[in-house]
Amino acid sequence: MIKTKDTGDNIVVYLRGRLDVHMSGEIEKDIQKLIDENPEKSLIVNLSEIEYMSSSGLRVLVAIMRILKTNGQNLKLCHLNAAVKKIFEVVELMDMFDIYETEEEALRT
Amino acid sequence: MKRTNEFLAAVSEIPNITAFAERIMIHWHLDRNTAYDVLLAIDEACTNLSTHAKTASGEPIMIILKMRKCFGFLCIRIVDNSIYYDIENAPSPDIQKNLSGEKKGGFGIFLIKTLMDRVKYKRTNNGNVLTMVKKIR
């Protein structure tokens, strides 16, 4: 079960633990349900409590971004730790996502 | 400390596989960044086997993970009994196709090749051997 916060125009999603193949399917399903129930809202995914992320997590974030864009909404990511940021850099996805240092910054922009 | 272990190629086993590798790397006092790269490479290789690989007769796929340290290098060997898949010649991921939904994933092998210093694949009579080498400090 993912933790969320409704801020009006956006929903902040707090992911924690491991974002690997074992967990990514369940997280993708939960976020898909959240999008279906809130089609008019953009998402901010806070990754501050992600300890570990593999390409399965990356694939989920790409899928969420695609669904939100189709709905005319946006996906913002914040609080990427060094290891998570490295994966984005290696696969050259940093420029494809809206990435912010903090949740406050993501909410402001 | 045990440096070789056998696992079932299953999504539910991935945390156990990475935990086994992590324990060895903690024992060897590997720095955090190197250990993370190695864990990720092992995860990606075993995830591919768990989600895509098949055997000719439908028997379960088993993964043998061996880790060795020598002369400033960490050598990771992943042996499996699945049908041939040449990781060395796998195409790079297509970001645009991923973003459009035409294709999903393909990042795993790319990450392995980028994060490791050397990746070697060998087909044997019984399956495959993937050897990944990472320089350590």
Side-chain angles (χ1 to χ4, degrees), chain A residues 18 20-22 28 51-56 58-59 62 65-66 83-84 86-87 90-93 96, chain B residues 11-12 14-15 18 36-37 39-40 43-44 47 95-96 98-101 104 107-108 110-111 114-115:
Chain A
R18 294 173 63 91
D20 62 2
V21 69
H22 188 227
E28 187 174 7
E51 296 158 10
Y52 174 86
M53 188 173 95
S54 71
S55 72
S56 302
L58 203 58
R59 191 191 55 73
V62 169
M65 181 165 74
R66 192 174 59 245
V84 170
K86 185 177 179 182
I87 298 175
V90 167
V91 298
E92 296 175 7
L93 277 175
M96 302 290 174
Chain B
V11 164
S12 58
I14 300 297
T18 51
Y36 198 92
D37 288 354
L39 278 185
L40 197 53
D43 180 328
E44 299 297 347
T47 294
I95 291 167
Q96 289 310 321
N98 262 280
L99 292 173
S100 70
K104 284 182 182 175
F107 299 116
F110 183 73
L111 276 169
T114 310
L115 296 175

Side-chain angles (χ1 to χ4, degrees), chain B residues 3 24-25 27-30 66-76 134 136-137:
Chain B
R3 289 163 198 183
I24 295 170
M25 289 191 286
H27 179 72
W28 283 338
H29 303 290
L30 254 65
K66 292 181 186 180
M67 294 180 68
R68 195 163 51 96
K69 190 176 73 158
C70 60
F71 305 114
F73 288 93
L74 179 61
C75 178
I76 307 110
K134 179 79 173 172
I136 52 178
R137 285 174 217 153

Side-chain angles (χ1 to χ4, degrees), chain B residues 56-68:
Chain B
S57 53
E59 77 264 28
I61 296 166
M62 299 308 294
I63 295 170
I64 298 169
L65 173 63
K66 292 181 186 180
M67 294 180 68
R68 195 163 51 96

Side-chain angles (χ1 to χ4, degrees), chain A residues 7 10 20 30 32 44 50 52 59 69 90 93:
Chain A
T7 65
N10 301 285
D20 62 2
D30 286 350
Q32 174 72 67
I44 296 171
I50 285 292
Y52 174 86
R59 191 191 55 73
K69 292 244 186 253
V90 167
L93 277 175

